[in-house]
Amino acid sequence: MTLGSGPRELVVLGTAGAVPTRERNHNGYLLRWDGTSVLFDPGEGIQRQMLHAGVSSPRIERICVTHRHNDHCLGVPGVLNRMAQDRPGRELTIHGPQDAVEHLHGLAVVAQANVRVRVQGHPALQEEVPVADVAGSALTARALDHRVPALGYRLTEPGHVTFSREALAAAGITGPDVGRLQREGELRGVRLEDVSTRRRGQVFAFVMDTRLCPAVGEVVAGADLAVLECTFAERDVDLARARGHLTAAQAGDVAARAGVRTLVLTHVSARYRGEELGREARAAVAAAGGRTTVHVAQDLDVVAVPPRRGRG
């Protein structure tokens, strides 16, 4: 099912929890962003899912892994071999927590693919850690709370200033003075906000296996599109806490309070139907007074990043 189209969109390759089912493949999420692609948490079978989804491996510049559990990274060897078939000798960076570096190196070695792989480990800190530049947007990570060190990822586009030609003409500002006004914020009594509109950049957030903790809300704060796990229903909240996961209601509540525009729920345990989890998440959004749109992902869904908003 396609929810939207455009150059910025999420292709859902797999949505199962620890165990795949007849309807759900292991994890896998591809973010298309301004001509490049980032692959998140490729579990087993993702190479085949890429074929079903029409995903082109040459556009994948990096793989981001949240933690070293195999349902989130066992697909790395197959993906590397696919890349070697499509473009031999290419370069690729795999990101993950420092705790996962040895494991990710091993997966790359097992692949024996003609791909120049760089595995980059990042510290799991209670603050944003720079990861990479993705087509001019900043990819960062911070620690979550799972049974092993885990990272949540956030991709933030810089804000933009759009000038009004009419307002500039009325203020008598032309040529190089336009750039000076943008740099200094005020020129000859004219303020930048008087002749322009500030448009916030888009934000994408990705949170997989974690207990509910303040970091979840911080990673997804103000996100236009956020992917959150919802392994358990609220009736099993104690089990979720013990195993280091979120419930659907917790995901909905935190997304609503953080101002997420579209929430994609995934990592669904085989014990549930997606409809039940969707109802719980939507009820939590309503109870929090939020306006978040909730979508329970199915394999091969394509979800567009919502269009940019104006001032902000």
Side-chain angles (χ1 to χ4, degrees), residues 143-181:
L144 298 174
D145 181 15
H146 192 40
R147 291 174 288 132
V148 298
L151 298 175
Y153 292 97
R154 179 180 175 90
L155 184 62
T156 305
E157 177 191 30
H160 301 277
V161 172
T162 302
F163 284 100
S164 165
R165 293 181 180 179
E166 293 78 9
L168 287 172
I173 296 177
T174 61
D177 282 345
V178 176
R180 182 180 170 190
L181 173 61

Side-chain angles (χ1 to χ4, degrees), residues 37-283:
S37 295
V38 181
L39 181 61
F40 291 88
D41 278 10
E44 186 178 359
I46 290 304
Q47 180 185 183
R48 188 167 185 270
Q49 293 293 92
M50 288 168 59
L51 292 174
H52 283 302
V55 168
S56 173
S57 75
R59 291 188 180 273
I60 300 174
E61 292 189 358
R62 62 190 74 249
I63 297 174
C64 292
V65 174
T66 57
H67 63 291
R68 58 179 165 82
H69 285 160
N70 279 330
D71 56 319
H72 294 260
C73 59
L74 199 58
V76 166
V79 171
L80 293 180
N81 275 282
R82 180 70 203 187
M83 290 178 173
Q85 291 286 330
D86 293 339
R87 199 172 84 196
R90 59 162 296 177
E91 296 181 356
L92 176 82
T93 302
I94 302 177
H95 301 279
Q98 288 178 340
D99 169 80
V101 167
E102 183 178 357
H103 189 59
L104 295 174
H105 266 302
L107 291 173
V109 170
V110 166
Q112 296 185 340
N114 185 11
V115 177
R116 290 178 287 171
V117 177
R118 175 192 180 200
V119 178
Q120 186 172 351
H122 304 279
L125 302 179
Q126 295 302 318
E127 60 187 49
E128 281 195 329
V129 174
V131 173
D133 179 282
V134 177
S137 296
L139 181 64
T140 57
R142 66 159 301 164
L144 298 174
D145 181 15
H146 192 40
R147 291 174 288 132
V148 298
L151 298 175
Y153 292 97
R154 179 180 175 90
L155 184 62
T156 305
E157 177 191 30
H160 301 277
V161 172
T162 302
F163 284 100
S164 165
R165 293 181 180 179
E166 293 78 9
L168 287 172
I173 296 177
T174 61
D177 282 345
V178 176
R180 182 180 170 190
L181 173 61
Q182 185 169 2
R183 290 190 301 273
E184 299 179 5
E186 186 173 346
L187 181 66
R188 299 194 295 271
V190 178
R191 299 174 304 168
L192 178 62
E193 56 264 35
D194 296 332
V195 294
S196 68
T197 300
R198 177 78 179 180
R199 186 174 66 180
R200 67 181 290 274
Q202 287 181 310
V203 176
F204 169 80
F206 187 82
V207 171
M208 280 292 112
D209 299 13
T210 181
R211 298 176 181 90
L212 185 63
C213 62
V216 177
E218 293 166 12
V219 171
V220 305
D224 297 283
L225 182 65
V227 179
L228 271 75
E229 65 124 317
C230 65
T231 309
F232 291 97
E234 192 62 20
R235 66 177 183 271
D236 294 319
V237 64
D238 292 338
L239 187 58
R241 186 181 305 111
R243 296 189 179 179
H245 288 285
L246 295 174
T247 68
Q250 289 172 338
D253 180 74
V254 73
R257 296 182 187 278
V260 172
R261 297 176 66 195
T262 297
L263 168 62
V264 176
L265 292 176
T266 186
H267 201 272
V268 177
S269 169
R271 57 171 58 83
Y272 306 112
R273 302 292 296 177
E275 294 85 352
E276 174 186 0
L277 300 178
R279 285 194 300 270
E280 288 196 0
R282 293 184 186 97

